[in-house]
Amino acid sequence: MAGQTTERDAAFVAAWLTASADAVRAEADRLTELDSAIGDADHGNNMRRGFTAVVAGLEKERQEATGGVLLLAGRTLVSTVGGASGPLFGTLLRRAGKALGEAERVTDAELKEALEAGVDAVAQLGGAALGDKTMLDALLPAVAELPDYAAAARAAEAGAKATIPLRAHKGRASYLGERSVGHEDPGAASAALLLGALFQVSR
Amino acid sequence: MTAGVVGVVLVSHSAEVAVSVAELARGLAGGGPLAPVEPAGGAPDGGLGTSAERIAEAAARADGGAGVAVLVDLGSAVLTVKALLAEGDTLPPGTRLVDAPLLEGAVAAVVTASTGADLDAVEAAAAEAWDYRKG
């Protein structure tokens, strides 16, 4: 169904974020476990709090524009998460929302472009590159596969798993040096959940 | 932007650290009228972390029309302030993330701001703290 002519509306984007929230809630304990190995053991809780607030915000302030949904969600993540994943995932969604703007319907190609802009903004904000053991290791290969949502979800999952042998170069995990090797990056794992949710709602 | 005094916001993962560094900076700035110094520490739930809301509130309180210098500790504090600045409408106009060590930079920023210096001078003074060697 991921044809180039398929159009997506604000309800689709909202459904993606709701599915993401469900996935984050279901996997919150695993995310926190990953974060307790190389971080400060709050990632699952932070993401759950943030995405729960996103869903509540979207229910309260119904958005007609595709960009409006993402802007509201991004702003909510920045203000509710409380960890680095807030501004990072918030920037991903906000920048994508800015790219989509007031459009009520967008093509899959436009959504891909918007998410690419979001991923670029994340890289700029965090100063990370591919292979630094961050969420970018899941996001970059995933957006490259769009508009094939299934392939993007698979690429994100593979990218997250591929962070296991990497040494962290950003964030608190980088202080661990070699000891960060052997653990999956929690941010990459969360990014894979978001891409999995996108595939799920695209079918 | 020349009227008023530059405000200083101190962002730390810990509410106690932010409050204490603010106290220390005020104390070391000596007598005379002090620039506004507002701590913004801790996560939304009060634990260790960063609260965008507390940062925005602190910046609004510190804003006297001459700009606000925001000093941060690390990680999510840096990223949250950058993300808020990118949003463009959550922090007062003339708010700037100052690249400086939190404690030493806070002292330099508050001393300089309290002299009535402009935001550029406050930023430069805080950034100079990087050159302060201890060994």
Side-chain angles (χ1 to χ4, degrees):
Chain A
M1 272 305 288
Q4 271 77 357
T5 52
T6 313
E7 288 210 324
R8 311 293 184 177
D9 59 8
F12 171 83
V13 180
W16 168 36
L17 297 171
T18 303
S20 298
D22 290 342
V24 163
R25 271 195 286 264
E27 297 289 324
D29 289 345
R30 180 174 72 91
L31 295 174
T32 291
E33 215 176 284
L34 293 175
D35 195 33
S36 61
I38 56 171
D40 48 1
D42 61 1
H43 186 65
N45 282 336
N46 285 348
M47 290 295 282
R48 177 168 47 200
R49 177 170 56 236
F51 271 91
T52 301
V54 165
V55 172
L58 290 173
E59 277 169 9
K60 213 168 80 187
E61 288 181 57
R62 239 186 111 81
Q63 302 291 319
E64 299 301 328
T66 49
V69 175
L70 291 171
L71 285 170
L72 176 61
R75 206 165 54 233
T76 305
L77 289 181
V78 172
S79 63
T80 57
V81 168
S85 46
L88 290 168
F89 281 100
T91 293
L92 170 71
L93 299 184
R94 270 187 54 84
R95 190 59 63 90
K98 227 180 212 174
L100 295 182
E102 294 300 311
E104 289 189 12
R105 307 185 70 80
V106 295
T107 64
D108 281 332
E110 287 167 329
L111 187 56
K112 173 191 171 89
E113 257 174 60
L115 289 172
E116 279 174 337
V119 173
D120 282 350
V122 170
Q124 207 183 349
L125 176 64
L130 194 68
D132 280 347
K133 199 179 180 94
T134 72
M135 57 196 273
L136 288 176
D137 293 325
L139 290 174
L140 283 166
V143 291
E145 294 291 345
L146 290 173
D148 184 337
Y149 293 99
R154 280 196 303 272
E157 190 60 43
K161 295 288 179 246
T163 63
I164 295 174
L166 296 176
R167 180 179 168 159
H169 290 287
K170 285 284 162 190
R172 184 195 179 283
S174 65
Y175 301 150
L176 297 175
E178 283 300 323
R179 280 179 293 146
S180 65
V181 171
H183 302 281
E184 183 179 351
D185 177 67
S190 282
L193 292 180
L194 266 62
L195 269 299
L198 184 58
F199 170 48
Q200 188 193 319
V201 298
S202 73
R203 285 190 287 179
Chain B
M1 289 294 291
T2 49
V5 176
V6 173
V8 178
V9 170
L10 305 174
V11 184
S12 169
H13 276 58
S14 152
E16 289 86 354
V17 167
V19 168
S20 297
V21 173
E23 220 167 87
L24 179 67
R26 283 193 206 101
L28 294 182
L34 283 177
V37 189
E38 295 290 344
D45 65 2
L48 295 181
T50 308
S51 162
E53 208 164 293
R54 286 184 199 191
I55 294 169
E57 287 166 4
R61 283 196 304 271
D63 179 31
V68 178
V70 183
L71 285 87
V72 300
D73 58 6
L74 71 170
S76 58
V78 184
L79 297 176
T80 301
V81 172
K82 284 187 178 173
L84 291 175
L85 287 171
E87 282 182 22
D89 56 356
T90 41
L91 299 177
T95 301
R96 203 180 284 176
L97 172 64
V98 168
D99 179 16
L102 178 65
L103 195 153
E104 292 86 341
V107 175
V110 173
V111 169
T112 308
S114 297
T115 66
D118 66 12
L119 185 56
D120 285 340
V122 171
E123 180 177 32
E128 254 177 51
W130 288 126
D131 301 328
Y132 176 65
R133 311 313 310 176
K134 299 168 191 179

